[in-house]
Amino acid sequence: MISTSAAWLAFFLFAGMITYAGIKDVATMTISNRLVVALLASFAVLAPAAGTDIATISSSIFVASGVLACTFVLFSLGWIGGGDAKLLPVAVLWVGPELSLQFVLYASVIGAALTLALLQFRKMPLPVILEKNAWSRRLHAPETGIPYGAAMAPAALLLLPESHWFSALL
């Protein structure tokens, strides 16, 4: 009973938190350290409670650690933001090692589409209706980066039904 309840909780908690991260990144261009830590702590508690075997947990940690090393290199080169560098490996931890490559690929494709759309949006004048909002002015500014959390969220949500969390529910 606890494993099914923990799996349901994990499934919806991760879906909600990754969605929140994506929306928050668009609105503020930041991904909170508290959110990343909350995702880590939730995984640490819910994975064993949901009945995830130690091999899956260990391999998830191993793959996420490798992704963390890669994202810190990308961050040090100025190619991604610090929040993105932390959220990507935590999301990989949650989707699991078997879906990690697919997740990174989905996030990259969605991120490329988002980047192209924002570049086009930034070439146009900001619509009057959006000038009142600080988040839309910030998103429109050419010197602003790309809110990559907005690409990671749908990528994770697309793969969540294929993850070990969902299989624990069946």
Side-chain angles (χ1 to χ4, degrees):
M1 181 63 174
I2 189 164
S3 62
T4 304
S5 299
W8 276 113
L9 178 60
F11 187 82
F12 287 112
L13 182 75
F14 177 68
M17 290 175 86
I18 197 76
T19 300
Y20 175 77
I23 292 168
K24 186 81 167 164
D25 199 17
V26 169
T28 66
M29 297 299 290
T30 59
I31 296 170
S32 164
N33 287 338
R34 287 184 195 149
L35 178 68
V36 173
V37 170
L39 281 167
L40 279 170
S42 299
F43 180 86
V45 170
L46 293 172
T52 306
D53 61 273
I54 193 70
T56 301
I57 294 171
S58 299
S59 57
S60 294
I61 292 169
F62 179 76
V63 172
S65 297
V67 171
L68 180 64
C70 291
T71 58
F72 270 25
V73 169
L74 296 174
F75 171 72
S76 70
L77 294 171
W79 293 355
I80 64 173
D84 303 328
K86 293 176 275 190
L87 184 62
L88 186 67
V90 171
V92 163
L93 180 70
W94 275 84
V95 298
E98 67 283 345
L99 296 173
S100 61
L101 186 58
Q102 197 173 353
F103 169 71
V104 171
L105 179 63
Y106 283 14
S108 297
V109 170
I110 295 168
L114 174 65
T115 300
L116 292 174
L118 278 176
L119 290 175
Q120 279 305 118
F121 173 64
R122 290 172 180 171
K123 287 182 182 178
M124 304 178 326
L126 186 63
V128 175
I129 196 165
L130 295 177
E131 286 179 358
K132 298 174 186 172
N133 301 319
W135 69 268
S136 59
R137 288 192 312 272
R138 182 175 30 256
L139 198 59
H140 189 263
E143 66 275 1
T144 303
I146 305 298
Y148 222 75
M152 286 184 249
L157 293 175
L158 283 169
L159 292 171
L160 194 55
E162 298 177 39
S163 71
H164 59 89
W165 299 105
F166 195 73
S167 62
L169 301 175
L170 302 177

